[in-house]
Amino acid sequence: MAVNMKGIARDLGVSTVTVSKALRNHPDISKTTRARILDRVKELGYRPNLTARSLVTGHSSLIGLIVPDLIHPFFADVAKGLSSAVRQRGYFLLISSSEEDPELEAQEIDHMLAHRLDALVIASCQTDPTALRNVQRGETPLILVDRSFKSFPSYFVGSDDYAAGKLATEHLVNVGCRRIAHIRGPENSVGIRRLKGFLDTIRRHGLAIPEENIIRAPRVDVDGKLNGAAALRQMMALPEMADGVFCYNDVIAMGVIKEALSQGINVPEDLAVIGCGNLHYDAEIRVPLSSIDQRSNQIGGRAAKLILEILGSETPMEFQDVILQPKLAARASTERTARSSSTPAKTGAQRRSAANV
Amino acid sequence: MAVNMKGIARDLGVSTVTVSKALRNHPDISKTTRARILDRVKELGYRPNLTARSLVTGHSSLIGLIVPDLIHPFFADVAKGLSSAVRQRGYFLLISSSEEDPELEAQEIDHMLAHRLDALVIASCQTDPTALRNVQRGETPLILVDRSFKSFPSYFVGSDDYAAGKLATEHLVNVGCRRIAHIRGPENSVGIRRLKGFLDTIRRHGLAIPEENIIRAPRVDVDGKLNGAAALRQMMALPEMADGVFCYNDVIAMGVIKEALSQGINVPEDLAVIGCGNLHYDAEIRVPLSSIDQRSNQIGGRAAKLILEILGSETPMEFQDVILQPKLAARASTERTARSSSTPAKTGAQRRSAANV
């Protein structure tokens, strides 16, 4: 005879609902009851057929996550936090990567939704929210992480990127930098807000921002090191070299430092460098990197909390933004004492020839 | 009227099988036919119900992956490689982490199998293969990655860990080290084989291996940096300090270098350090780290290839091992010229007092 939940319930004198809840790790069930049920389940080698259950209940117990890159430590952190939080409630994570390609992301969304997900979480690389609007019209709750869209209300969990830009720039000013450059991020909420935090801070301190001090790096989240090195060379070609730079992310900053050292520019003495993200190896690199901690390890957990609230709510829940406050992690790459910057910096050309001596 | 595959097939004058294959990105279907079908699918807003399909076909289009840690760059690499390769064939990855806890891993296996996976891939932290043997008796093909078990034949994809231990140790001997220590890994195939590669190489060169030069670090894949620092202090307490050390992984090696520098021990002059794994930031750390490249970026792809072969085979396929050959990545942490080691090294005690001056 096939082993099923009904049989297990009858054997133990509990209801089928209780067995189901115990298998889903539902908090309603006492530890003792759960242990008894799981023992019996083990004894019988029972394995619930979630596919069949899914057709009946409309729930797949699956939560989808689409990120631009699986090996980017920021998104790995988000995935880990989300996975461990939802697992405790019996949900599994389907993970996929868009490789920062909007069209691939749209395909992945379609594939994911075909699995009748209970919720879909995306760090989206769409340039406009049309594809996401279509998801929102459907039945699967959509939660955006890291990146949001203007005029597209949604559930959102991310860090305060304006504050990140402000904190990083404020720190460069505090250590005495006066000609500050920014290697900027993409045209999404993250890139735009970090840039705005940078610009507002520069202006508040009455400092100049020559347009050429805002440097664009292509594909900042992929090949960041190469792009950082290229950006540094671009900075050196400017009439007046910057004395401080806020890099959109840490990988860019690593590329900047590496190239600066090989060009004979001292970090932090000639050029203070700060990144953003506070990756795992920031403290170990050649010049330990100052950064802005985006609380990446909390984003997944907070997204999970929001999902469980949405799934547990009997009436539709209003959209909400969960915004985490970043904090400064100062290290050697900006460690210099504040000083007046009366001595004009060498120009890029002078500096290059000095390095070639 | 509900949109379904049959309707789409009729509209376009093709068979339902052709529509199904186009949706699964099957190589049988020509580009033109696929484009026609996908255009029509898009027009109608058709979304295949994979849950229902799964009950009929017995295929869920899901492949499970359980790794010890999601943010460990090695496993992130494996996940990325596996995900992108299986996706091209219409499969999705369910990812989960065991946190290096055998009991949690066993639970995750049960949860995963309840989703009627097409295949299950595990970098297992079990100490014996009982739980895995149970999986193998079932219908879901099991593919082990990174770690295998003695006397448990299975499909396996990983690197040659004996060769990794040999390469690393050979390199330390080549740069002139004569008192070589090993901070060893866990009691699994990876830890045991790297240790054996180390021991055989030391013996072949007629060098001594005092037992205390084999150092055990607890939980090498979690908190590696702290454990590396502790191992270095343990090495310093020995009667004769080593002049070279092969660390089980790169994170341990980073901890060793950091603590060595802060104790006044020069790397590589006093102590040459080599890790294993060749992580993404090895080249950027304070003393760029020599390492053994395990081909982590190929493991996922090779596992995908094996899975597709197993799923495509009409008769049961024999177990096979896919073993990737590691290679040396030499950097500054072992960059010293070979020399005779006639001058005895300072003892740990001498060294410590020198550092304290």
Side-chain angles (χ1 to χ4, degrees):
Chain A
M1 198 187 79
V3 181
N4 59 23
M5 281 207 272
K6 218 167 147 186
I8 294 170
R10 202 180 39 224
D11 286 358
L12 301 175
V14 299
S15 72
T16 318
V17 173
T18 304
V19 175
S20 163
K21 284 186 172 174
L23 289 172
R24 290 172 65 86
N25 232 336
H26 197 285
D28 270 9
I29 307 301
S30 79
K31 270 195 176 172
T32 344
T33 309
R34 200 171 152 256
R36 272 179 68 214
I37 293 170
L38 293 188
D39 280 353
R40 183 70 184 145
V41 160
K42 221 171 174 177
E43 216 171 274
L44 297 171
Y46 172 64
R47 198 159 268 157
N49 181 342
L50 294 189
T51 307
R53 182 203 283 173
S54 159
L55 271 185
V56 174
T57 61
H59 295 297
S60 61
S61 302
L62 293 176
I63 289 168
L65 172 68
I66 305 176
V67 293
D69 185 4
L70 278 176
I71 60 171
H72 193 302
F74 173 79
F75 298 112
D77 255 11
V78 171
K80 186 184 168 106
L82 183 59
S83 162
S84 70
V86 299
R87 172 166 58 192
Q88 289 163 24
R89 297 291 293 271
Y91 291 94
F92 257 94
L93 211 56
L94 265 179
I95 305 182
S96 169
S97 148
S98 66
E99 307 297 323
E100 205 75 77
D101 172 344
E103 196 158 329
L104 190 53
E105 184 184 289
Q107 283 176 25
E108 296 297 287
I109 291 174
D110 273 351
H111 283 151
M112 285 247 175
L113 291 179
H115 283 288
R116 298 288 187 262
L117 302 175
D118 287 329
L120 179 58
V121 183
I122 312 185
S124 178
C125 61
Q126 300 297 322
T127 43
D128 82 89
T130 312
L132 302 173
R133 211 164 257 138
N134 287 337
V135 177
Q136 222 178 43
R137 284 201 198 101
E139 284 178 8
T140 309
L142 172 71
I143 295 92
L144 298 183
V145 290
D146 187 44
R147 302 149 178 211
S148 61
F149 293 86
K150 237 179 164 168
S151 70
F152 176 62
S154 67
Y155 300 110
F156 174 71
V157 181
S159 29
D160 184 338
D161 285 299
Y162 178 78
K166 218 175 102 180
L167 268 176
T169 315
E170 200 75 52
H171 177 62
L172 290 175
V173 174
N174 286 344
V175 299
C177 299
R178 291 298 172 264
R179 293 175 309 283
I180 304 177
H182 176 41
I183 303 174
R184 62 156 299 181
E187 286 293 344
N188 62 20
S189 62
V190 183
I192 291 168
R193 287 182 193 148
R194 286 185 193 166
L195 171 63
K196 189 162 182 348
F198 167 79
L199 289 173
D200 285 359
T201 307
I202 293 283
R203 282 194 199 107
R204 201 175 45 252
H205 285 280
L207 299 172
I209 355 172
E211 207 176 301
E212 62 267 26
N213 272 10
I214 315 273
I215 292 152
R216 278 179 185 275
R219 291 173 64 73
V220 276
D221 285 316
V222 191
D223 290 333
K225 270 188 274 179
L226 285 179
N227 288 319
L232 191 271
R233 288 191 297 270
Q234 202 178 323
M235 283 167 64
M236 289 177 68
L238 297 179
E240 203 178 29
M241 171 76 178
D243 59 2
V245 60
F246 163 42
C247 306
Y248 172 70
N249 67 26
D250 285 347
V251 190
I252 292 274
M254 285 183 190
V256 166
I257 291 179
K258 190 173 181 180
E259 184 68 14
L261 297 181
S262 82
Q263 298 272 358
I265 297 173
N266 294 318
V267 177
E269 296 80 1
D270 300 330
L271 180 71
V273 180
I274 187 165
C276 194
N278 207 30
L279 301 178
H280 302 295
Y281 301 109
D282 283 1
E284 313 305 324
I285 63 170
R286 215 164 321 163
V287 182
L289 179 64
S290 295
S291 189
I292 302 297
D293 188 332
Q294 287 176 262
R295 316 276 177 157
S296 53
N297 58 347
Q298 289 178 30
I299 291 178
R302 294 300 292 271
K305 195 165 166 274
L306 183 56
I307 291 169
L308 295 171
E309 279 175 33
I310 297 168
L311 295 178
S313 170
E314 293 184 358
T315 52
M317 246 173 69
E318 278 187 33
F319 290 136
Q320 55 178 268
D321 288 338
V322 178
I323 307 290
L324 302 167
Q325 284 308 309
K327 65 172 181 180
L328 175 69
R331 300 195 183 91
S333 71
T334 54
E335 203 170 287
R336 55 185 203 179
T337 45
R339 47 172 186 184
S340 77
S341 87
S342 51
T343 20
K346 296 173 202 169
T347 66
Q350 283 170 326
R351 211 177 276 276
R352 263 199 310 286
S353 56
N356 288 338
V357 168
Chain B
M1 199 189 79
V3 181
N4 58 24
M5 281 206 274
K6 218 167 145 183
I8 294 170
R10 202 180 39 225
D11 287 359
L12 300 176
V14 298
S15 72
T16 318
V17 173
T18 304
V19 176
S20 164
K21 282 186 174 175
L23 289 171
R24 293 172 63 86
N25 230 337
H26 197 285
D28 271 8
I29 306 301
S30 79
K31 271 195 175 172
T32 344
T33 309
R34 203 173 149 253
R36 272 181 68 215
I37 292 171
L38 294 187
D39 280 352
R40 183 71 184 144
V41 159
K42 220 171 175 177
E43 215 172 275
L44 297 171
Y46 171 65
R47 199 159 269 159
N49 182 344
L50 293 191
T51 307
R53 183 202 283 175
S54 160
L55 272 184
V56 175
T57 61
H59 295 297
S60 61
S61 302
L62 293 175
I63 289 168
L65 172 68
I66 304 177
V67 294
D69 185 5
L70 278 175
I71 60 174
H72 193 302
F74 173 78
F75 297 113
D77 255 11
V78 172
K80 187 184 169 108
L82 184 58
S83 163
S84 70
V86 298
R87 173 165 60 193
Q88 290 164 21
R89 296 292 292 271
Y91 291 93
F92 257 94
L93 212 55
L94 265 179
I95 305 182
S96 170
S97 147
S98 65
E99 307 297 323
E100 203 73 76
D101 173 344
E103 198 157 329
L104 191 53
E105 183 184 288
Q107 282 175 27
E108 296 297 286
I109 291 174
D110 273 352
H111 283 150
M112 285 246 174
L113 290 180
H115 283 288
R116 298 288 186 261
L117 302 174
D118 287 329
L120 178 58
V121 183
I122 312 185
S124 176
C125 61
Q126 300 297 322
T127 44
D128 82 88
T130 312
L132 303 173
R133 211 162 258 139
N134 288 335
V135 177
Q136 224 178 40
R137 283 201 199 101
E139 285 178 6
T140 310
L142 172 71
I143 294 91
L144 299 183
V145 289
D146 188 44
R147 303 149 178 209
S148 62
F149 294 86
K150 235 178 164 170
S151 69
F152 177 62
S154 66
Y155 301 110
F156 173 72
V157 182
S159 30
D160 184 337
D161 286 298
Y162 177 78
K166 218 175 102 179
L167 269 177
T169 313
E170 200 75 53
H171 177 62
L172 290 175
V173 173
N174 286 345
V175 299
C177 298
R178 290 299 172 264
R179 292 174 310 282
I180 303 177
H182 176 41
I183 303 175
R184 62 158 296 182
E187 285 294 343
N188 62 21
S189 61
V190 184
I192 291 167
R193 287 183 193 147
R194 287 185 193 166
L195 171 63
K196 189 161 182 346
F198 167 79
L199 289 174
D200 285 357
T201 309
I202 293 283
R203 283 195 199 108
R204 202 176 41 253
H205 285 279
L207 299 172
I209 355 170
E211 207 176 301
E212 62 268 24
N213 271 11
I214 314 277
I215 292 154
R216 277 179 185 276
R219 291 172 65 71
V220 277
D221 284 317
V222 192
D223 290 334
K225 269 188 274 178
L226 286 178
N227 288 319
L232 190 272
R233 288 191 299 272
Q234 202 179 322
M235 283 166 64
M236 289 176 69
L238 297 178
E240 205 179 27
M241 173 75 178
D243 59 2
V245 60
F246 162 42
C247 305
Y248 172 71
N249 67 25
D250 285 348
V251 191
I252 293 273
M254 285 182 190
V256 165
I257 291 179
K258 190 174 183 180
E259 184 67 12
L261 296 181
S262 82
Q263 298 272 358
I265 296 173
N266 294 319
V267 176
E269 297 80 0
D270 300 329
L271 180 70
V273 181
I274 186 164
C276 194
N278 207 31
L279 301 178
H280 304 295
Y281 301 109
D282 282 1
E284 312 306 322
I285 64 170
R286 215 163 322 161
V287 182
L289 180 63
S290 295
S291 190
I292 302 297
D293 188 330
Q294 288 176 262
R295 316 279 177 153
S296 52
N297 59 347
Q298 290 179 29
I299 292 178
R302 294 300 291 270
K305 195 164 165 272
L306 184 56
I307 291 169
L308 295 171
E309 279 175 35
I310 297 169
L311 295 178
S313 169
E314 292 184 1
T315 51
M317 243 174 71
E318 276 188 37
F319 291 135
Q320 55 177 267
D321 289 338
V322 178
I323 307 290
L324 302 167
Q325 284 309 308
K327 64 172 181 181
L328 174 69
R331 299 193 183 91
S333 71
T334 55
E335 203 171 288
R336 55 186 202 178
T337 44
R339 49 173 185 184
S340 79
S341 87
S342 53
T343 19
K346 295 174 203 166
T347 66
Q350 283 170 326
R351 210 177 279 276
R352 263 198 313 284
S353 56
N356 288 338
V357 169

